[in-house]
Amino acid sequence: MTASPAPRIVVALDGPASSGKSSVGIAVAQRLGLRFLDTGLIYRALTALALREGVAPEDQPAVIALIPRFELADDGSGRLARVLVDGADETDAVRSHEVDAAVSAVARQPDVRAALLGLQRRIAAPGGIVMAGRDIGTVVLPAAGLKVYLDASVGERAGRRIRERGLDPQGDEAAAVREQLRTRDAADSGRAVAPLRAAEDAVVLRTDGMGLDEVVDLVAGLVVAAETGGAATAPGVAGEPVAGANRPAAGTPSRSRPSPAPAAREPLPRVLEVAMRLDNQQTMLVRMVARIAQWIGHALAAISIEGLENIPRRGAVIIAANHASNADPIYAGAWVSDALRTRRLHWLGKRELFFWPVFGWICALGGIHPVDRSSADIEAYRLASRILERGYVLMIFPEGTRSPTGALQEAKDGVAQLALRSGAQIVPMAINGSDLVWPKGRRFPAPFPRRRVRVRIGQPFLVADVVPPATDRRAAKTAATTAIMGRIAELLEPRQRGAYAGAVRASATEGTARDPA
Ligand code: DC
């Protein structure tokens, strides 16, 4: 007997009118192979029917009696976007001005809302759906696997509508759009039953200033993370496990339930924020930082770097390295930055680094993005996803934290998740011997006796080529993690292979299994 696959996630996507729920929901659903329903369509269908039959919105039993006469139909692409009334397609009619004007009156009737609950829940029951509305997370699907509340100021939402319709922002029509939105907001939030508000456990996204693609990426990232087992585990960098990026800018997701006051919430110095750029351009300053790092690297140990030519010149790349020393960022980054020429190397680093004098500057200029370890891991995952979606190069230490023994520890699954989702090429990198130069637990490096650090960069590969087809999500993550860490282990001396000694392919070790003299 074969086990049936686990049902896919149910996503509740709420927010005010024109917050982009439909566009975002449709795009996310399409990208991730989920169904989509905008529940506003249900209220609109019922309103259109009531108008046609001359039924007053307040006559709740009569409105409820109309419910069996409409149904939602698939538009052929997984969207329940067609409305059939008495079997005939009335999709256009439900978007008419008459319906616009009357729908709020229908939507505020408590018995009508209650009568529509069963329909909405039945649609969600098989799973695998993004359901958009006003009360999906709070009332309709309180147990949804992920709740997202999209928000934006009236000005922003009106501006989007005004641009879409090509109106003059100063004109009367634009003013009417703003006014309508205010009225609808008041009607949706002010009604007694199921008013518009974010669920306690919703991720609230304020999207002022963000483009559609950006919001879609963000929500898709949240869905993937929720579906693959809770919050994404962030890959770590520069010594410690990292968690969330802490940019108090637009789009920063926050749980609506107040979280315990995180430490180090001080805003970053503004000049540092300017220096941190999410682009693909290596600057003179990065080159300078890399050069200085190379000098320091040479001062600490005798260095050899092999395989720089294996780093792909184009497209999204994850360079995944072992992490056993505070010196690793130097050995992992300084020569790679040079080899990338005009492309920028991106990293995630704990936010505290940016408060160190001078070093904070080096981090900002060197392409490190601050992540806040006191908030949800999901934010680091989001940042990493954005870097890869833009086709940039990201350096990751999949173990998250430095190994106390110098040997590989179990990796977090963030790297596998990113690799599976982004389709980025993975470049394994082994930093041999850095643990002897600056072991974990030592305050300062030990350049004497002089040691050898041997950095070995392996062939790029795609996790899709190593994860067996039709593997379920959890198994895929495990397989991808093992493959990535196994490739790193193959490039490490046997004493440093640790938890992944068993993942080394026999064919890969010929002539390399040698501990340093
Ligand atoms: O999102 P929309 O404009 O198509 O929604 C039409 C109306 O339905 C609007 O007045 C809010 C209401 N609505 C609701 O009350 N609850 C929902 N889950 C979805 C929509």
Side-chain angles (χ1 to χ4, degrees), residues 13-18 21-22 38-44 47 94-95 99-100 102-108 113 120 131-136 140 161 184 187-188 191 193-194 196:
L13 184 61
D14 290 301
S18 293
K21 300 183 300 286
S22 293
D38 177 357
T39 53
L41 213 52
I42 294 176
Y43 290 91
R44 287 173 176 276
T47 305
V94 305
R95 301 259 171 229
V99 172
D100 269 351
V103 66
S104 289
V106 172
R108 66 171 171 259
R113 296 196 75 87
Q120 296 171 84
M131 197 176 262
R134 304 291 195 286
D135 61 341
I136 309 303
V140 180
R161 281 234 160 146
R184 293 189 64 186
D188 289 343
R191 69 180 175 222
V193 52
L196 171 70

Side-chain angles (χ1 to χ4, degrees), residues 32 37 61 124 154 156 204 207 214 224 249 251 272 317 327 341 381 391 459 472:
L32 302 178
L37 170 65
V154 172
E156 172 81 18
V204 178
T207 64
E214 235 176 321
V224 170
L272 285 189
V317 175
R341 297 161 195 264
Y381 181 79
Q459 294 291 336
D472 75 48

Side-chain angles (χ1 to χ4, degrees), residues 84-140:
L84 307 181
V85 176
D86 297 333
D89 195 320
E90 300 270 347
T91 308
D92 292 336
V94 305
R95 301 259 171 229
S96 69
H97 288 306
E98 293 74 29
V99 172
D100 269 351
V103 66
S104 289
V106 172
R108 66 171 171 259
Q109 307 302 326
D111 296 348
V112 173
R113 296 196 75 87
L116 288 171
L117 275 181
L119 169 66
Q120 296 171 84
R121 288 177 180 160
R122 271 196 306 281
I123 293 173
I129 191 165
V130 178
M131 197 176 262
R134 304 291 195 286
D135 61 341
I136 309 303
T138 50
V139 177
V140 180

